[in-house]
Amino acid sequence: MAKIISCTSLGTQSVYDIGLEKNHNFLLENGSIASNCFNKSHSTAYAYVTYQTAFLKANYPAEYMSALLTANSGDQDKVTRYLNNCEQTLDIKVEPPDINRSYVKFRPVVDPERPNRLNILFGLSAIKNVGEAAIENILKAREEGGEFTSLADLCQRVSLQAVNKRTLESLIQCGTFDNLDRNRRQLINDLDVIIPWSQSRAKEKAIGQGNLFDLLGDSKPEVGGFDAVPKSPLVSDFPSSERLQFEQELLGVYVSDHPLKNAEKAAKSHRHDFKRIIEIEKPCKDVKLVVMLTEVKVVQTKKDNKSMAILKLTDIASSKLEAVIFPEAYEKIKDLLIPNSSVILVGKVSRKKDNDELQMIVDEAIEIDYSAVHKPVDEELTPQHLVLIELPINVATDEIQSQALKTMIEEYSSNTVAVKTPVYAIVRGENGYQLVRFGKQFWVQDSNMLVDRMQARGFDIQVKQISFDRD
């Protein structure tokens, strides 16, 4: 690139937004004279656009950020940066993608907990491995037939050539079906039986061999009905860490939770004065970071063949930084350097010699103590309501239905210590009732969603929430 080394005033002259044919007043380093320039009218136009976008961001932040995210939905790095800006700076909650609510674009939606505020609903176009043809097919089916009631319902109503198995796996793994079925592993396994079943039904319809319900115009599958949807063996869901890893890979961000949220709480409870990566703008000493190790690369030094490590770090705001651990420090802390684990790193920040970028020189690693975050059982708060399930004896004694009921309840329980809702069942027999109390491992955190899920699955049960006051 040529470098301008001098500029000569030519007084008052006409200026243009296009290149000038004749020589102009910029002398270049190679001895030639520049033949075009940008002028005041060009700068004025940019300034006006800047004012407009600043006005929109200040007065209509959810609408502006939705448009910005949609415009950059093909660039996952930018989407990640803008989503973090929403939650960290603008206090705009980003809702995960939903198969029955999301459209191609990101869009503002009313926050149910704060009716005067707007959230941003994730757009389907920003999900990795989900193409335009698949999105168009899904939205068309939803518009024509209403909301999807299950994975099987969707597979029957879309083209499985446009919405292929890889697309469905990505939609499931990032949580798009969570409002229909929260067990993502179960849905992934179900694809192996639902896709062939849906394809077989489509062929039967094409040659006029649909069943009685198809002839009556009701083709929605019923659980346990005449044309029952095939199910794979019941399994427990992916571990929380694996669910979050899928979200990060497919969306660029964590949407249901963040693995560093409890790590930061634990660090604060132990009085660790840490920084966020974005706060580090220049070289500094005595830096402490709460980070996730997204990559750990062990290398050998050329001089004496000793082991050292090069790390890639990310924090709760998804900011990134590279770190180096030299041999002496590496030998002391190598057991804590586990990929995708959370840790507190202590050291200094300097600039790389080759490209002037910031990097951390790690001197110490501290294991995170979560004891202050996870309270012991005897400190748990007393629940204020319970879930009461009424079911007939034939359901309680049916092995398949009992296992399905147990699996659903497990999905809405959690390993975290928090206020949970106890679950009881009343089994109705010929000679009366029997009360069954589920163990604490089956207490649920979201009783409302459990109620909706159980009713949607067609169980012959009644669910009641009974509130009571604490003593």
Side-chain angles (χ1 to χ4, degrees):
M1 179 181 291
K3 180 180 179 183
I4 297 173
I5 59 173
S6 69
C7 179
T8 305
S9 174
L10 299 179
T12 303
Q13 292 191 5
S14 298
V15 291
Y16 307 91
D17 267 344
I18 58 176
L20 302 177
E21 292 183 3
K22 297 181 180 180
N23 291 339
H24 208 55
N25 60 325
F26 290 126
L27 177 64
L28 302 182
E29 192 174 31
N30 60 9
S32 61
I33 298 175
S35 61
N36 57 57
C37 67
F38 292 101
N39 52 42
K40 292 181 180 178
S41 63
H42 198 95
S43 300
T44 301
Y46 270 113
Y48 186 55
V49 172
T50 302
Y51 162 75
Q52 289 177 315
T53 54
F55 175 85
L56 291 172
K57 186 174 182 180
N59 294 278
Y60 303 95
E63 294 89 340
Y64 173 78
M65 294 304 295
S66 294
L68 187 64
L69 285 161
T70 298
N72 293 277
S73 59
D75 187 330
Q76 202 169 58
D77 287 339
K78 285 187 177 180
V79 168
T80 301
R81 186 164 70 249
Y82 297 148
L83 288 173
N84 286 316
N85 192 346
C86 287
E87 297 200 336
Q88 304 289 336
T89 306
L90 301 175
D91 191 29
I92 299 174
K93 182 181 178 182
V94 179
E95 297 185 20
D98 187 322
I99 198 66
N100 281 324
R101 297 172 60 223
S102 292
Y103 288 85
V104 178
K105 302 177 180 180
F106 289 83
R107 65 188 186 115
V109 293
V110 176
D111 187 334
E113 298 177 359
R114 303 178 296 178
N116 60 331
R117 299 292 300 272
L118 292 176
N119 296 339
I120 293 177
L121 180 62
F122 218 97
L124 297 176
S125 60
I127 303 175
K128 196 174 180 180
N129 303 329
V130 180
E132 292 182 11
I135 296 172
E136 182 180 344
N137 204 275
I138 290 169
L139 296 181
K140 182 180 178 182
R142 196 173 75 192
E143 183 180 349
E144 292 176 352
E147 293 188 353
F148 303 109
T149 58
S150 65
L151 175 62
D153 180 34
L154 180 139
C155 288
Q156 283 198 112
R157 291 162 56 188
V158 302
S159 166
L160 292 176
Q161 291 181 331
V163 188
N164 57 34
K165 185 177 181 181
R166 187 186 184 199
T167 297
L168 290 169
E169 286 174 342
S170 296
L171 289 169
I172 293 168
Q173 288 168 339
C174 71
T176 309
F177 284 88
D178 278 6
N179 284 338
L180 298 179
D181 192 331
R182 292 183 62 184
N183 189 332
R184 299 181 190 177
R185 177 180 275 161
Q186 183 70 57
L187 290 179
I188 291 291
N189 290 357
D190 285 349
L191 285 176
D192 290 334
V193 292
I194 287 177
I195 289 177
W197 174 79
S198 299
Q199 291 171 332
S200 176
R201 290 205 65 194
K203 289 178 181 178
E204 290 173 359
K205 289 180 186 178
I207 60 176
Q209 293 184 356
N211 60 39
L212 176 63
F213 299 101
D214 294 328
L215 297 175
L216 294 173
D218 183 9
S219 61
K220 290 189 176 182
E222 296 291 336
V223 176
F226 176 77
D227 189 29
V229 177
K231 292 284 291 181
S232 63
L234 294 170
V235 293
S236 58
D237 200 0
F238 295 114
S240 176
S241 59
E242 200 168 340
R243 286 166 62 96
L244 293 174
Q245 188 175 345
F246 282 135
E247 292 176 7
Q248 172 68 25
E249 290 174 0
L250 296 168
L251 304 178
V253 291
Y254 303 105
V255 288
S256 61
D257 199 359
H258 198 292
L260 286 174
K261 190 177 291 183
N262 280 339
E264 285 202 349
K265 287 182 181 178
K268 288 177 181 177
S269 68
H270 290 283
R271 300 177 184 254
H272 288 293
D273 185 18
F274 60 89
K275 289 186 176 183
R276 297 268 176 87
I277 292 174
I278 197 171
E279 297 173 345
I280 305 172
E281 298 178 349
K282 58 184 180 180
C284 52
K285 297 180 180 180
D286 301 323
V287 175
K288 187 177 288 186
L289 301 175
V290 178
V291 293
M292 177 177 287
L293 309 179
T294 57
E295 185 177 319
V296 178
K297 182 180 179 181
V298 180
V299 296
Q300 309 301 125
T301 59
K302 292 181 179 179
K303 184 178 180 180
D304 46 16
N305 201 36
K306 290 185 177 180
S307 297
M308 58 178 289
I310 300 173
L311 314 177
K312 288 186 178 179
L313 318 174
T314 185
D315 63 10
I316 198 169
S318 295
S319 300
K320 295 177 173 58
L321 185 67
E322 190 173 285
V324 176
I325 308 177
F326 291 114
E328 186 176 349
Y330 175 79
E331 287 301 319
K332 296 178 182 178
I333 63 176
K334 62 183 179 181
D335 292 340
L336 297 179
L337 305 179
I338 304 170
N340 296 316
S341 66
S342 304
V343 68
I344 301 172
L345 297 180
V346 183
K348 64 180 180 180
V349 173
S350 61
R351 292 195 183 276
K352 295 181 182 179
K353 294 181 180 179
D354 52 351
N355 57 16
D356 209 36
E357 290 183 359
L358 292 175
Q359 70 172 2
M360 184 177 190
I361 309 298
V362 179
D363 298 321
E364 182 183 358
I366 303 172
E367 187 174 4
I368 298 174
D369 181 1
Y370 291 97
S371 60
V373 177
H374 302 314
K375 297 179 180 179
V377 175
D378 58 1
E379 292 183 25
E380 290 183 34
L381 298 175
T382 304
Q384 290 185 297
H385 61 282
L386 58 86
V387 172
L388 183 63
I389 305 171
E390 294 185 20
L391 63 162
I393 188 68
N394 65 303
V395 174
T397 55
D398 183 277
E399 184 177 349
I400 295 177
Q401 293 200 65
S402 296
Q403 182 61 36
L405 178 63
K406 174 176 175 283
T407 300
M408 277 196 294
I409 294 175
E410 284 178 332
E411 290 173 23
Y412 292 89
S413 61
S414 171
N415 292 327
T416 59
V417 176
V419 181
K420 294 184 183 180
T421 305
V423 180
Y424 290 78
I426 293 181
V427 180
R428 287 185 277 108
E430 295 181 359
N431 300 322
Y433 296 84
Q434 181 178 354
L435 180 66
V436 178
R437 183 178 65 180
F438 287 79
K440 275 196 172 185
Q441 69 271 29
F442 295 106
W443 288 19
V444 296
Q445 287 188 314
D446 196 333
S447 55
N448 291 326
M449 289 193 71
L450 174 64
V451 169
D452 294 340
R453 169 84 184 287
M454 293 173 73
Q455 291 175 345
R457 289 292 296 268
F459 281 93
D460 183 18
I461 60 175
Q462 297 177 16
V463 182
K464 299 178 181 179
Q465 295 183 50
I466 302 177
S467 300
F468 56 87
D469 296 325
R470 294 180 186 174
D471 293 333

